[in-house]
Amino acid sequence: MSNITRRALRVYAVLSELRGSNQDILDALIPFFEPFLSLMDGKMFEPRLFALAMQRLYRWRFTKDVAEQFVPRLLRAGFLERRGTATDAVYIVRYKPPQTTTDEGPITAALESIIDEFEKFPPRVTDLLSYSRSREELTDILIRFLVSMDAYNEAAFMAELKKLHVQHNDASLLDRLEEGGTPLHRDDRYLAARFVQAISKETPSYVPILVQLSSIGLLTEVVEDFLKPTQVAATANLTAILDTPLALDYLGCSGVALRDDIRSIVTSLTAIGCRFVVFPVTCTEIQRNLDSLLSNDPSQRHGYTNDALLKNEVKLDFVRAVANDPETALRHAGITVRPMTLSQYPHTHIHFDASRYESYFESIYWVPDVAPREHDAECLTLTMRLREGKHNSDLFRSGYVFVTRNGSFVNSSRKYCEESRLITPRQEGPVIHQRELATIAWLRTGLGAENEIPRGHLIASCERVLRFRPEVKDAVAAKIREVTPENAEQFELLLTDAKSLRRLADETLNDENVVTSENAVHLFNVMKEATIAEEKARFDKKIADERVKRKQQQEIAERQRVSLEGERDEAIKQADVAKEQVRRVVADVARRANRTARYVERLIIAVMLLLLIGGTVDLLWGVLTGSKIWSAILVVVAGVSSYHLLMDVLQRPKVGVRSVMNWMVRTYFWRSVQSRGLNGSVQTSDIRVENGQIVLAGLPVEDVKPDTVRIEPRIVARRPAAENPPQFPGLEHSE
């Protein structure tokens, strides 16, 4: 296991203990110094040699000034012994081996599980290249990637190294140290980033460990400019000016990971009073960059915005809207545009005049195009003018700072300002890297709740490492045109699919040097298979979604059918109950009418019997002879008898007692029905009158056993007679 791996695990444990404490977090880096301290045990401490050793071991841009600032910390830790007076002191190294080892603690077991997954990962990525590394090598690759995130290229590292002169005796001493400062090979770097990206999605329980290890990389930012404070800040008065790529990241034009990264930083610093703005010249560059992207053929586009479009993380219409009006898009996102140009505010020109602008512009060489160089030179000029000569070693007291991802811009601007004596080496430069801003946000806001900034920065760094390199595309395109020119057009179409591009990057590990005439066709085929697989997965998902939708619709229809049937059955049941209630009420009315008719009939019979008895008595004894009443009665009886005799002789229908009884009982029945509110529920065809009695659909009322149930008016109102007249099935009258 390499030095950087062992020390990183030690620092991981220290960082875990420091969370929530007030201790200086930079003390956690001391374990990284132990290889040099053990080599120098008993010898005099030389800051210059210490800085060289850190560059060789870890590729940190250590300087002599930074090394000198660690002397008090090493004294407190017992690694240095001071001799001499305070003004003329020398320091002797006293190395004490640590009592604990990296084999102890939960981090070791968790790391072993992570490396188990890392061992199985390469075949999942590529079957073209044989990627074979031992467990120890894989551990070292992963830790080095997490700790450094490979933030600096070889040119930047060598430039820093040249600042320190290596003497002959120093070189022989440094040769005894492990060479850890060399950058990771491109294959190792790509595969480590791909693994971190995959494991973050598949095994979230490992993410806190990866995040804590990547936090060590953020601490190295503090080492590079050691003098900036690390204590927690409650409030700040800082205006951060965003560069074009960061503004696009914030808007979401560069994808989800980069958006979340910059927004977590902005949110954290805004909470303590920082403000974020952009210059009008940046809006112009945003418009120019997006217009250039959109004007190209889709297969010829590249960059973060194109990657986000291919992965469908941003819509093309949104990108067009931003290109048409960047200022409005930024304002809606919460970023203010600071209206300022080179010609405005003449009183500030003294702090960075037009001649300095021209001088700095001529020193810029990282891009051949004039427009980006003019943009960077103008942004530096405006930032220095806004500062008005007020510089500080604490970024939060510097007033204004320009934030970028261009490391060359950061280094050249600082170098120019120092050489022009506009700032001192101990003061914060006008331009800082986004990575440094993330470090400050993490450290100065209390290490961040749940490490959100390191987490987002880790994922965003992986995205930047995994960004598809146009050189790989160009190399494959050239070989395809050479070997199978008939597939060139189809290859151009495949370049517009994110899945095929990711598969190509995985197969080549994003290295154009592995592309040959022999494997070009294979690469073309795997790209096509990836696209087909994606389309098939999309089609299968569509079919599955349609099946689920159909099933849901069927379930809804079935529930509605069951509900309707239930409602229908309930309605039928209620209708049957209503019918039964009506039937019983009607039967009760008919029974009362029939009973009344019988009483009347009996009364008539009794009267006729009395008349018969009276006639007999009068015939035998003549008692009633001469009575006017009796005479009148006899006249009536004679008239009725004559009427009946005449009608019988003529054999015509006659009106008699039965007819009167029928009329009376019918009239009584209908009036009773009407008084009970049932006149609309009983039809004439439902009843008939026979021999002075009501018969319901052929059934004598005496056969019905009514109760006292009465129908409610609301039920009657819901059942119009014309639509649903009451029926009495099965009830027949027998003579």
mmCIF file of all heavy atoms in Angstrom, residues 339-358 377-378 380-389 391 416 420 422:
data_model
loop_
_atom_site.group_PDB
_atom_site.id
_atom_site.type_symbol
_atom_site.label_atom_id
_atom_site.label_comp_id
_atom_site.label_asym_id
_atom_site.label_seq_id
_atom_site.Cartn_x
_atom_site.Cartn_y
_atom_site.Cartn_z
ATOM 1 N N PRO A 339 -23.888 45.652 -13.944
ATOM 2 C CA PRO A 339 -23.626 46.472 -15.142
ATOM 3 C C PRO A 339 -22.317 47.247 -14.998
ATOM 4 O O PRO A 339 -22.238 48.235 -14.268
ATOM 5 C CB PRO A 339 -24.842 47.405 -15.194
ATOM 6 C CG PRO A 339 -25.323 47.489 -13.786
ATOM 7 C CD PRO A 339 -25.005 46.183 -13.142
ATOM 8 N N MET A 340 -21.291 46.815 -15.704
ATOM 9 C CA MET A 340 -19.979 47.473 -15.612
ATOM 10 C C MET A 340 -19.171 47.135 -16.847
ATOM 11 O O MET A 340 -19.081 45.977 -17.253
ATOM 12 C CB MET A 340 -19.249 47.013 -14.347
ATOM 13 C CG MET A 340 -17.991 47.793 -14.040
ATOM 14 S SD MET A 340 -17.286 47.307 -12.445
ATOM 15 C CE MET A 340 -15.921 48.467 -12.346
ATOM 16 N N THR A 341 -18.558 48.134 -17.447
ATOM 17 C CA THR A 341 -17.710 47.955 -18.619
ATOM 18 C C THR A 341 -16.367 48.628 -18.366
ATOM 19 O O THR A 341 -16.179 49.341 -17.363
ATOM 20 C CB THR A 341 -18.363 48.543 -19.878
ATOM 21 O OG1 THR A 341 -18.520 49.964 -19.712
ATOM 22 C CG2 THR A 341 -19.738 47.910 -20.123
ATOM 23 N N LEU A 342 -15.438 48.449 -19.299
ATOM 24 C CA LEU A 342 -14.095 49.006 -19.142
ATOM 25 C C LEU A 342 -14.085 50.525 -19.145
ATOM 26 O O LEU A 342 -13.182 51.151 -18.569
ATOM 27 C CB LEU A 342 -13.181 48.478 -20.255
ATOM 28 C CG LEU A 342 -12.816 46.991 -20.185
ATOM 29 C CD1 LEU A 342 -12.027 46.585 -21.419
ATOM 30 C CD2 LEU A 342 -12.019 46.685 -18.920
ATOM 31 N N SER A 343 -15.069 51.120 -19.782
ATOM 32 C CA SER A 343 -15.083 52.580 -19.891
ATOM 33 C C SER A 343 -15.772 53.269 -18.723
ATOM 34 O O SER A 343 -15.649 54.490 -18.568
ATOM 35 C CB SER A 343 -15.769 52.987 -21.201
ATOM 36 O OG SER A 343 -17.118 52.520 -21.219
ATOM 37 N N GLN A 344 -16.481 52.528 -17.903
ATOM 38 C CA GLN A 344 -17.242 53.129 -16.807
ATOM 39 C C GLN A 344 -16.370 53.336 -15.567
ATOM 40 O O GLN A 344 -15.307 52.729 -15.421
ATOM 41 C CB GLN A 344 -18.454 52.259 -16.461
ATOM 42 C CG GLN A 344 -19.530 52.237 -17.530
ATOM 43 C CD GLN A 344 -20.697 51.329 -17.154
ATOM 44 O OE1 GLN A 344 -20.501 50.274 -16.568
ATOM 45 N NE2 GLN A 344 -21.901 51.754 -17.496
ATOM 46 N N TYR A 345 -16.865 54.168 -14.666
ATOM 47 C CA TYR A 345 -16.252 54.440 -13.366
ATOM 48 C C TYR A 345 -14.767 54.802 -13.507
ATOM 49 O O TYR A 345 -13.881 54.059 -13.058
ATOM 50 C CB TYR A 345 -16.419 53.239 -12.434
ATOM 51 C CG TYR A 345 -17.853 52.756 -12.346
ATOM 52 C CD1 TYR A 345 -18.240 51.565 -12.966
ATOM 53 C CD2 TYR A 345 -18.810 53.489 -11.658
ATOM 54 C CE1 TYR A 345 -19.556 51.125 -12.902
ATOM 55 C CE2 TYR A 345 -20.125 53.052 -11.585
ATOM 56 C CZ TYR A 345 -20.490 51.873 -12.210
ATOM 57 O OH TYR A 345 -21.785 51.449 -12.144
ATOM 58 N N PRO A 346 -14.452 55.961 -14.113
ATOM 59 C CA PRO A 346 -13.042 56.357 -14.328
ATOM 60 C C PRO A 346 -12.222 56.449 -13.042
ATOM 61 O O PRO A 346 -11.004 56.237 -13.072
ATOM 62 C CB PRO A 346 -13.166 57.729 -15.006
ATOM 63 C CG PRO A 346 -14.538 57.752 -15.598
ATOM 64 C CD PRO A 346 -15.393 56.943 -14.671
ATOM 65 N N HIS A 347 -12.883 56.727 -11.912
ATOM 66 C CA HIS A 347 -12.127 56.866 -10.664
ATOM 67 C C HIS A 347 -11.517 55.548 -10.196
ATOM 68 O O HIS A 347 -10.622 55.547 -9.340
ATOM 69 C CB HIS A 347 -13.032 57.440 -9.568
ATOM 70 C CG HIS A 347 -14.126 56.500 -9.140
ATOM 71 N ND1 HIS A 347 -15.275 56.302 -9.884
ATOM 72 C CD2 HIS A 347 -14.239 55.688 -8.045
ATOM 73 C CE1 HIS A 347 -16.059 55.430 -9.273
ATOM 74 N NE2 HIS A 347 -15.455 55.048 -8.148
ATOM 75 N N THR A 348 -12.015 54.429 -10.742
ATOM 76 C CA THR A 348 -11.453 53.129 -10.351
ATOM 77 C C THR A 348 -10.343 52.673 -11.290
ATOM 78 O O THR A 348 -9.683 51.670 -11.000
ATOM 79 C CB THR A 348 -12.564 52.060 -10.337
ATOM 80 O OG1 THR A 348 -13.071 51.878 -11.683
ATOM 81 C CG2 THR A 348 -13.706 52.448 -9.414
ATOM 82 N N HIS A 349 -10.108 53.384 -12.381
ATOM 83 C CA HIS A 349 -9.126 52.933 -13.362
ATOM 84 C C HIS A 349 -7.709 52.955 -12.804
ATOM 85 O O HIS A 349 -6.836 52.253 -13.306
ATOM 86 C CB HIS A 349 -9.197 53.810 -14.617
ATOM 87 C CG HIS A 349 -10.466 53.608 -15.390
ATOM 88 N ND1 HIS A 349 -10.657 54.104 -16.664
ATOM 89 C CD2 HIS A 349 -11.620 52.975 -15.072
ATOM 90 C CE1 HIS A 349 -11.875 53.783 -17.094
ATOM 91 N NE2 HIS A 349 -12.478 53.106 -16.132
ATOM 92 N N ILE A 350 -7.477 53.736 -11.785
ATOM 93 C CA ILE A 350 -6.146 53.823 -11.200
ATOM 94 C C ILE A 350 -5.689 52.483 -10.629
ATOM 95 O O ILE A 350 -4.494 52.201 -10.533
ATOM 96 C CB ILE A 350 -6.117 54.923 -10.105
ATOM 97 C CG1 ILE A 350 -4.681 55.163 -9.633
ATOM 98 C CG2 ILE A 350 -7.021 54.546 -8.940
ATOM 99 C CD1 ILE A 350 -4.565 56.306 -8.643
ATOM 100 N N HIS A 351 -6.649 51.652 -10.250
ATOM 101 C CA HIS A 351 -6.307 50.365 -9.633
ATOM 102 C C HIS A 351 -5.948 49.299 -10.670
ATOM 103 O O HIS A 351 -5.337 48.279 -10.318
ATOM 104 C CB HIS A 351 -7.472 49.873 -8.773
ATOM 105 C CG HIS A 351 -7.883 50.857 -7.722
ATOM 106 N ND1 HIS A 351 -7.076 51.179 -6.649
ATOM 107 C CD2 HIS A 351 -9.011 51.611 -7.597
ATOM 108 C CE1 HIS A 351 -7.691 52.080 -5.893
ATOM 109 N NE2 HIS A 351 -8.865 52.356 -6.447
ATOM 110 N N PHE A 352 -6.337 49.502 -11.924
ATOM 111 C CA PHE A 352 -5.959 48.597 -13.016
ATOM 112 C C PHE A 352 -6.318 49.328 -14.309
ATOM 113 O O PHE A 352 -7.423 49.188 -14.839
ATOM 114 C CB PHE A 352 -6.713 47.270 -12.921
ATOM 115 C CG PHE A 352 -5.992 46.097 -13.544
ATOM 116 C CD1 PHE A 352 -5.206 45.257 -12.780
ATOM 117 C CD2 PHE A 352 -6.089 45.855 -14.904
ATOM 118 C CE1 PHE A 352 -4.543 44.176 -13.349
ATOM 119 C CE2 PHE A 352 -5.430 44.783 -15.483
ATOM 120 C CZ PHE A 352 -4.649 43.930 -14.706
ATOM 121 N N ASP A 353 -5.371 50.116 -14.812
ATOM 122 C CA ASP A 353 -5.673 50.995 -15.929
ATOM 123 C C ASP A 353 -5.636 50.251 -17.261
ATOM 124 O O ASP A 353 -5.385 49.044 -17.326
ATOM 125 C CB ASP A 353 -4.724 52.189 -15.939
ATOM 126 C CG ASP A 353 -3.262 51.767 -15.995
ATOM 127 O OD1 ASP A 353 -2.987 50.631 -16.443
ATOM 128 O OD2 ASP A 353 -2.395 52.553 -15.572
ATOM 129 N N ALA A 354 -5.874 50.994 -18.350
ATOM 130 C CA ALA A 354 -5.956 50.402 -19.684
ATOM 131 C C ALA A 354 -4.635 49.791 -20.118
ATOM 132 O O ALA A 354 -4.608 48.764 -20.810
ATOM 133 C CB ALA A 354 -6.406 51.467 -20.691
ATOM 134 N N SER A 355 -3.530 50.380 -19.705
ATOM 135 C CA SER A 355 -2.228 49.817 -20.086
ATOM 136 C C SER A 355 -1.991 48.465 -19.428
ATOM 137 O O SER A 355 -1.407 47.559 -20.037
ATOM 138 C CB SER A 355 -1.109 50.790 -19.705
ATOM 139 O OG SER A 355 -1.081 50.993 -18.294
ATOM 140 N N ARG A 356 -2.441 48.331 -18.187
ATOM 141 C CA ARG A 356 -2.313 47.027 -17.521
ATOM 142 C C ARG A 356 -3.222 45.990 -18.196
ATOM 143 O O ARG A 356 -2.852 44.819 -18.315
ATOM 144 C CB ARG A 356 -2.669 47.147 -16.039
ATOM 145 C CG ARG A 356 -1.654 47.940 -15.226
ATOM 146 C CD ARG A 356 -1.897 47.762 -13.738
ATOM 147 N NE ARG A 356 -1.021 48.595 -12.940
ATOM 148 C CZ ARG A 356 0.247 48.307 -12.643
ATOM 149 N NH1 ARG A 356 0.770 47.178 -13.103
ATOM 150 N NH2 ARG A 356 0.968 49.120 -11.911
ATOM 151 N N TYR A 357 -4.410 46.450 -18.612
ATOM 152 C CA TYR A 357 -5.300 45.545 -19.343
ATOM 153 C C TYR A 357 -4.617 45.020 -20.598
ATOM 154 O O TYR A 357 -4.630 43.810 -20.868
ATOM 155 C CB TYR A 357 -6.605 46.276 -19.700
ATOM 156 C CG TYR A 357 -7.440 45.560 -20.745
ATOM 157 C CD1 TYR A 357 -8.261 44.498 -20.400
ATOM 158 C CD2 TYR A 357 -7.378 45.949 -22.089
ATOM 159 C CE1 TYR A 357 -9.021 43.837 -21.359
ATOM 160 C CE2 TYR A 357 -8.128 45.299 -23.055
ATOM 161 C CZ TYR A 357 -8.950 44.238 -22.690
ATOM 162 O OH TYR A 357 -9.688 43.581 -23.649
ATOM 163 N N GLU A 358 -4.010 45.905 -21.381
ATOM 164 C CA GLU A 358 -3.325 45.493 -22.603
ATOM 165 C C GLU A 358 -2.130 44.605 -22.295
ATOM 166 O O GLU A 358 -1.882 43.608 -22.992
ATOM 167 C CB GLU A 358 -2.878 46.731 -23.382
ATOM 168 C CG GLU A 358 -4.021 47.582 -23.910
ATOM 169 C CD GLU A 358 -4.836 46.865 -24.975
ATOM 170 O OE1 GLU A 358 -4.331 45.871 -25.556
ATOM 171 O OE2 GLU A 358 -5.984 47.287 -25.241
ATOM 172 N N ALA A 377 -9.289 38.937 -19.708
ATOM 173 C CA ALA A 377 -8.572 40.157 -19.360
ATOM 174 C C ALA A 377 -9.528 41.224 -18.824
ATOM 175 O O ALA A 377 -9.217 41.928 -17.853
ATOM 176 C CB ALA A 377 -7.823 40.679 -20.586
ATOM 177 N N GLU A 378 -10.703 41.352 -19.440
ATOM 178 C CA GLU A 378 -11.671 42.344 -18.968
ATOM 179 C C GLU A 378 -12.200 41.987 -17.588
ATOM 180 O O GLU A 378 -12.385 42.867 -16.732
ATOM 181 C CB GLU A 378 -12.822 42.465 -19.968
ATOM 182 C CG GLU A 378 -13.842 43.524 -19.579
ATOM 183 C CD GLU A 378 -14.879 43.769 -20.661
ATOM 184 O OE1 GLU A 378 -14.652 43.347 -21.819
ATOM 185 O OE2 GLU A 378 -15.924 44.401 -20.354
ATOM 186 N N LEU A 380 -10.661 40.280 -15.202
ATOM 187 C CA LEU A 380 -9.621 40.585 -14.211
ATOM 188 C C LEU A 380 -9.571 42.086 -13.951
ATOM 189 O O LEU A 380 -9.494 42.525 -12.795
ATOM 190 C CB LEU A 380 -8.267 40.082 -14.707
ATOM 191 C CG LEU A 380 -7.060 40.492 -13.856
ATOM 192 C CD1 LEU A 380 -7.176 39.920 -12.446
ATOM 193 C CD2 LEU A 380 -5.754 40.069 -14.513
ATOM 194 N N THR A 381 -9.617 42.872 -15.020
ATOM 195 C CA THR A 381 -9.558 44.331 -14.881
ATOM 196 C C THR A 381 -10.723 44.855 -14.042
ATOM 197 O O THR A 381 -10.531 45.649 -13.105
ATOM 198 C CB THR A 381 -9.584 44.988 -16.273
ATOM 199 O OG1 THR A 381 -8.487 44.495 -17.050
ATOM 200 C CG2 THR A 381 -9.485 46.497 -16.158
ATOM 201 N N LEU A 382 -11.933 44.418 -14.355
ATOM 202 C CA LEU A 382 -13.114 44.893 -13.624
ATOM 203 C C LEU A 382 -13.081 44.455 -12.163
ATOM 204 O O LEU A 382 -13.481 45.217 -11.266
ATOM 205 C CB LEU A 382 -14.384 44.386 -14.312
ATOM 206 C CG LEU A 382 -14.635 44.891 -15.739
ATOM 207 C CD1 LEU A 382 -15.911 44.278 -16.294
ATOM 208 C CD2 LEU A 382 -14.714 46.411 -15.770
ATOM 209 N N THR A 383 -12.618 43.237 -11.899
ATOM 210 C CA THR A 383 -12.551 42.750 -10.518
ATOM 211 C C THR A 383 -11.564 43.569 -9.699
ATOM 212 O O THR A 383 -11.847 43.954 -8.550
ATOM 213 C CB THR A 383 -12.157 41.264 -10.491
ATOM 214 O OG1 THR A 383 -13.082 40.505 -11.273
ATOM 215 C CG2 THR A 383 -12.143 40.727 -9.073
ATOM 216 N N MET A 384 -10.393 43.856 -10.274
ATOM 217 C CA MET A 384 -9.399 44.661 -9.555
ATOM 218 C C MET A 384 -9.912 46.079 -9.319
ATOM 219 O O MET A 384 -9.648 46.685 -8.270
ATOM 220 C CB MET A 384 -8.099 44.691 -10.344
ATOM 221 C CG MET A 384 -7.350 43.360 -10.364
ATOM 222 S SD MET A 384 -6.763 42.880 -8.723
ATOM 223 C CE MET A 384 -5.444 44.081 -8.486
ATOM 224 N N ARG A 385 -10.647 46.622 -10.291
ATOM 225 C CA ARG A 385 -11.197 47.962 -10.097
ATOM 226 C C ARG A 385 -12.264 47.983 -9.011
ATOM 227 O O ARG A 385 -12.364 48.930 -8.227
ATOM 228 C CB ARG A 385 -11.775 48.473 -11.415
ATOM 229 C CG ARG A 385 -10.706 48.808 -12.452
ATOM 230 C CD ARG A 385 -11.321 49.248 -13.772
ATOM 231 N NE ARG A 385 -10.293 49.549 -14.770
ATOM 232 C CZ ARG A 385 -10.540 49.924 -16.015
ATOM 233 N NH1 ARG A 385 -11.816 50.036 -16.434
ATOM 234 N NH2 ARG A 385 -9.540 50.189 -16.851
ATOM 235 N N LEU A 386 -13.082 46.925 -8.956
ATOM 236 C CA LEU A 386 -14.101 46.857 -7.901
ATOM 237 C C LEU A 386 -13.474 46.750 -6.512
ATOM 238 O O LEU A 386 -14.018 47.260 -5.529
ATOM 239 C CB LEU A 386 -15.031 45.664 -8.155
ATOM 240 C CG LEU A 386 -16.059 45.823 -9.281
ATOM 241 C CD1 LEU A 386 -16.764 44.506 -9.555
ATOM 242 C CD2 LEU A 386 -17.078 46.900 -8.932
ATOM 243 N N ARG A 387 -12.339 46.094 -6.427
ATOM 244 C CA ARG A 387 -11.661 45.983 -5.134
ATOM 245 C C ARG A 387 -11.115 47.329 -4.653
ATOM 246 O O ARG A 387 -10.949 47.539 -3.445
ATOM 247 C CB ARG A 387 -10.512 44.975 -5.226
ATOM 248 C CG ARG A 387 -10.960 43.526 -5.172
ATOM 249 C CD ARG A 387 -9.763 42.613 -4.968
ATOM 250 N NE ARG A 387 -10.160 41.237 -4.723
ATOM 251 C CZ ARG A 387 -9.307 40.268 -4.381
ATOM 252 N NH1 ARG A 387 -8.016 40.530 -4.264
ATOM 253 N NH2 ARG A 387 -9.736 39.048 -4.173
ATOM 254 N N GLU A 388 -10.791 48.202 -5.582
ATOM 255 C CA GLU A 388 -10.286 49.535 -5.259
ATOM 256 C C GLU A 388 -9.059 49.480 -4.355
ATOM 257 O O GLU A 388 -8.924 50.252 -3.398
ATOM 258 C CB GLU A 388 -11.387 50.386 -4.619
ATOM 259 C CG GLU A 388 -12.565 50.651 -5.541
ATOM 260 C CD GLU A 388 -13.611 51.548 -4.924
ATOM 261 O OE1 GLU A 388 -13.601 51.703 -3.679
ATOM 262 O OE2 GLU A 388 -14.442 52.085 -5.668
ATOM 263 N N GLY A 389 -8.189 48.518 -4.624
ATOM 264 C CA GLY A 389 -6.934 48.433 -3.885
ATOM 265 C C GLY A 389 -7.046 47.795 -2.521
ATOM 266 O O GLY A 389 -6.049 47.723 -1.785
ATOM 267 N N HIS A 391 -7.126 44.640 -0.569
ATOM 268 C CA HIS A 391 -6.850 43.213 -0.669
ATOM 269 C C HIS A 391 -6.624 42.656 0.731
ATOM 270 O O HIS A 391 -6.228 43.381 1.647
ATOM 271 C CB HIS A 391 -5.633 42.960 -1.553
ATOM 272 C CG HIS A 391 -5.718 43.630 -2.890
ATOM 273 N ND1 HIS A 391 -6.554 43.196 -3.891
ATOM 274 C CD2 HIS A 391 -5.084 44.737 -3.376
ATOM 275 C CE1 HIS A 391 -6.436 43.979 -4.947
ATOM 276 N NE2 HIS A 391 -5.544 44.933 -4.660
ATOM 277 N N TYR A 416 0.679 37.781 -12.448
ATOM 278 C CA TYR A 416 0.760 39.134 -12.987
ATOM 279 C C TYR A 416 0.568 40.175 -11.880
ATOM 280 O O TYR A 416 1.293 41.172 -11.818
ATOM 281 C CB TYR A 416 -0.286 39.323 -14.081
ATOM 282 C CG TYR A 416 -0.242 40.691 -14.712
ATOM 283 C CD1 TYR A 416 0.621 40.955 -15.766
ATOM 284 C CD2 TYR A 416 -1.061 41.725 -14.248
ATOM 285 C CE1 TYR A 416 0.679 42.219 -16.353
ATOM 286 C CE2 TYR A 416 -1.014 42.983 -14.814
ATOM 287 C CZ TYR A 416 -0.144 43.228 -15.872
ATOM 288 O OH TYR A 416 -0.085 44.483 -16.426
ATOM 289 N N SER A 420 3.386 42.753 -10.637
ATOM 290 C CA SER A 420 3.079 44.181 -10.767
ATOM 291 C C SER A 420 2.925 44.858 -9.415
ATOM 292 O O SER A 420 2.614 46.059 -9.353
ATOM 293 C CB SER A 420 1.787 44.369 -11.575
ATOM 294 O OG SER A 420 1.893 43.779 -12.852
ATOM 295 N N LEU A 422 0.630 44.593 -7.284
ATOM 296 C CA LEU A 422 -0.737 44.980 -6.954
ATOM 297 C C LEU A 422 -1.243 44.237 -5.722
ATOM 298 O O LEU A 422 -2.122 44.734 -5.008
ATOM 299 C CB LEU A 422 -1.661 44.708 -8.148
ATOM 300 C CG LEU A 422 -1.334 45.496 -9.419
ATOM 301 C CD1 LEU A 422 -2.210 45.027 -10.572
ATOM 302 C CD2 LEU A 422 -1.520 46.986 -9.192
#
